């Protein structure tokens, strides 16, 4: 086997393992958030978790480097991106505390499809009919999971879909930020700006002094979140992105496992069908975008 092929296979394996690890840590973070959110108010939780994550990221940057902001950085774009990040965290965690973790995680996977559609409308990126069809199929999957108009529908689903909209806006803004702004810098900005956002909820909550157990969970939240961000950077910089990206959907399996082990929650058959449709639509979009990127220019 040629050395180049061995290098690509090694890169793909590294990327796949990093992606699986990242998704596992994201679910571990969400699990800890749900557990500590049973006794700690949401605003306080966000402030303490993201302060912890910010400190971890600063420590990581001190060791590995890569933390800088170029003088020509688009500060207005960065400001709007941080606002979208803070709002997405507030809405996502609000939904997470009110809904089963598997449902939240599955519905959040509509985000890549929403970004594809929004990029076509807002940024005028060329999107073929196949990817539009995949986005529509993904929307059907969302409806099967959420089931609006039935007794199974949770109002928190609307909050979660609002979070998807904010994440979509954040990622569209990210696409317009030049590569000269390092990923680690964007990650630090996200964690740092979201921490004080928790203060917005302080007037409406009664904050408490965390117990040792709650403090440990909050530290784990920050640690898991930092590891998840670090590993996804490794995943996206290793091997063939088209081969690695589909493993992002392993997050749904991890979330189902977490919900079953800790809260004895399992999706019903209709929700399982919705999760399958949403996942297949997302995987097809990844495959199609990979093919479009590899197509020769005419």
């Amino acid at each position: 086997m040629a050395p180049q092929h061995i290098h690509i296979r090694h890169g793909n394996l590294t990327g796949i393992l990093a992606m699986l690890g990242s998704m596992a840590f994201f679910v571990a973070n969400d699990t800890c958030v749900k557990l500590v959110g049973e006794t700690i108010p949401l605003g306080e939780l966000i402030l303490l978790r993201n302060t912890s994550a910010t400190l971890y990221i600063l420590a990581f940057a001190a060791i590995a480097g890569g933390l800088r902001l170029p003088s020509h950085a688009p500060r207005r774009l960065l400001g709007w991106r941080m606002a979208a990040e803070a709002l997405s965290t507030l809405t996502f965690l609000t939904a997470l505390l009110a809904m089963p973790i598997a449902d939240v995680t599955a519905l959040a996977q509509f985000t890549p499809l929403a970004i594809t559609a929004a990029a076509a409308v807002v940024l005028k990126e060329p999107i073929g009919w196949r990817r539009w069809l995949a986005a529509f199929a993904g929307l059907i999957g969302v409806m099967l999971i959420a089931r609006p108009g039935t007794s199974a529908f949770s109002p928190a689903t609307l909050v979660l879909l609002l979070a998807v909209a904010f994440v979509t806006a954040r990622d569209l803004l990210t696409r317009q930020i030049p590569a000269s702004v390092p990923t680690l810098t964007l990650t630090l900005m996200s964690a740092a700006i979201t921490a004080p956002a928790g203060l917005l909820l302080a007037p409406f909550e009664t904050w408490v002094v965390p117990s040792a157990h709650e403090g440990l969970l909050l530290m784990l939240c920050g640690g898991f979140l930092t590891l998840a961000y670090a590993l996804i950077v490794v995943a996206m910089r290793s091997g063939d992105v088209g081969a690695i990206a589909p493993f992002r959907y392993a997050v749904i399996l991890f979330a189902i496992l977490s919900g079953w082990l800790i809260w004895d929650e399992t999706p019903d058959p209709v929700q399982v069908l919705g999760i399958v449709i949403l996942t297949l639509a997302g995987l097809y979009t990844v495959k199609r975008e990979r093919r479009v990127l590899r197509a020769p220019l005419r």
Side-chain angles (χ1 to χ4, degrees), residues 31 53 55 60 68 77 88 94 107 123 148 161 172 183 233 240 248 252 256 266 281 283:
T31 300
L55 294 175
F60 177 80
R68 57 185 173 81
L77 274 178
S88 69
T94 298
L107 287 170
L123 301 182
L161 293 178
L172 289 181
T183 300
V233 170
D240 183 351
R248 180 187 298 269
I252 298 177
I256 291 174
T266 53
L283 290 173

Side-chain angles (χ1 to χ4, degrees), residues 27 30-36 38 96 100-102 255 257-266:
V27 171
D30 290 345
T31 300
C32 288
V33 165
K34 277 186 73 70
L35 288 171
V36 77
E38 295 172 357
L96 177 63
I101 189 171
L257 182 61
S258 174
W260 174 62
L261 289 175
I262 298 176
W263 292 282
D264 196 27
E265 299 169 345
T266 53

